[in-house]
């Protein structure tokens, strides 16, 4: 975890240094912090997700992001229970019509059983998104073969904003070695509390694992609709 900590801090320092040399477009273009907590059943086994994300606008069309994502698969046996952590730094070029992003990071898989060795890998990520009024077309590729997260997985799909604070999405997703399946999710940000966060429900089916869970995200920023938030920050 010391490697992850150094990577995270260096990414923040680099992003902050770049931001200091440029001028953001308005008062709302300040760093955006988000904390996510998710829980669900993956093939009747408990899967806990903890995510922390920092979005830093650099200019009108350029931004960077630091993402810490942790998954804990709890099976009741140390033989197949494990923790997975992904720390990554992502960079985005965007406008009113879409976004392109590239990222690099470190992934570590740590079994609960001390007799098993941990696995560590460098990961690369590509993100592409097109905005069409109330629709978004999304593609996301991540190089690691095993990712159980609610956020970082290889996928392609379509999102529809029913209103400014309610989104429904359908994805074709690869999340664990060769396991490919469908993912349906909806996210709702109550207007009364939209400065606080959002609630999401996720259902996923695959060749080996089915998943059903919820995710709560808390935002440390200004009041803004879910649609605007997700188009400004990935």
């Amino acid at each position: 975890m010391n490697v992850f900590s150094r990577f995270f801090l260096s990414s923040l320092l680099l992003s902050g240094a770049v931001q200091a040399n440029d001028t953001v477009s308005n008062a709302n273009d300040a760093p955006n912090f988000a904390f996510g907590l998710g829980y669900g059943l993956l093939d009747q086994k408990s899967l806990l997700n903890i995510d922390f994300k920092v979005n830093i606008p650099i200019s009108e069309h350029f931004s960077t992001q630091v993402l810490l994502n942790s998954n804990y698969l709890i099976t009741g046996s140390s033989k197949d229970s494990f923790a997975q952590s992904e720390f990554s730094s992502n960079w985005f070029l965007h406008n009113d019509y879409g976004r392109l992003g590239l990222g690099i990071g470190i992934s570590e898989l740590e079994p609960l059983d001390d007799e098993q060795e941990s696995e560590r890998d460098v990961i690369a990520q590509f993100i592409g998104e097109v905005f069409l009024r109330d629709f978004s077309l999304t593609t996301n590729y991540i190089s690691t073969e095993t990712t159980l997260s609610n956020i970082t997985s290889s996928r392609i799909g379509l999102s529809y904003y029913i209103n400014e604070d309610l989104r429904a999405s359908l994805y074709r997703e690869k999340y664990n070695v060769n396991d490919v399946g469908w993912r349906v999710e909806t996210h709702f940000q109550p207007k009364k509390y939209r400065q606080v966060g959002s609630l999401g429900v996720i259902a996923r089916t695959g060749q080996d694992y089915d998943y059903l869970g919820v995710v709560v995200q808390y935002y440390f920023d200004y009041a803004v609709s879910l649609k605007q938030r997700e188009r400004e920050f990935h």
Side-chain angles (χ1 to χ4, degrees), residues 24-182:
V24 296
S25 58
N26 57 60
N28 285 342
D29 287 334
N32 161 275
F33 299 85
F35 173 77
L37 182 63
Y39 177 80
L41 294 179
L42 181 67
D43 193 31
Q44 299 182 348
K45 300 171 184 176
S46 293
L47 179 64
L48 176 67
N49 309 109
I50 301 175
D51 304 292
F52 184 71
K53 186 166 50 177
V54 183
N55 296 289
I56 304 176
I58 297 174
S59 68
E60 183 179 359
H61 299 295
F62 191 52
S63 64
T64 182
Q65 175 191 87
V66 178
L67 174 66
L68 294 81
N69 165 39
S70 298
N71 307 302
Y72 302 91
L73 184 65
I74 306 168
T75 67
S77 171
S78 62
K79 297 298 182 181
D80 54 0
S81 295
F82 62 83
Q84 181 187 30
S85 298
E86 297 175 5
F87 284 18
S88 61
S89 178
N90 304 316
W91 301 78
F92 296 96
L93 181 66
H94 55 84
N95 58 24
D96 293 337
Y97 303 100
R99 167 175 39 229
L100 289 175
L102 294 174
I104 188 169
I106 301 173
S107 175
E108 184 178 59
L109 187 69
E110 185 176 356
L112 185 60
D113 187 353
D114 294 335
E115 296 181 358
Q116 301 182 43
E117 295 185 358
S118 299
E119 301 177 14
R120 183 175 295 168
D121 190 19
V122 175
I123 58 175
Q125 185 172 195
F126 168 79
I127 303 105
E129 195 164 12
V130 177
F131 307 142
L132 304 169
R133 294 190 178 180
D134 293 331
F135 291 90
S136 294
L137 300 174
T138 302
T139 180
N140 188 3
Y141 169 78
I142 186 168
S143 61
T144 184
E145 291 186 345
T146 302
T147 175
L148 298 177
S149 170
N150 288 330
I151 296 180
T152 52
S153 58
S154 295
R155 70 183 70 160
I156 183 170
L158 177 69
S159 296
Y160 173 64
Y161 289 88
I162 300 169
N163 59 49
E164 292 291 316
D165 289 300
L166 178 60
R167 170 175 63 85
S169 303
L170 175 65
Y171 301 103
R172 181 69 168 168
E173 185 177 47
K174 175 182 177 182
Y175 64 94
N176 187 18
V177 191
N178 293 318
D179 200 349
V180 177
W182 291 96

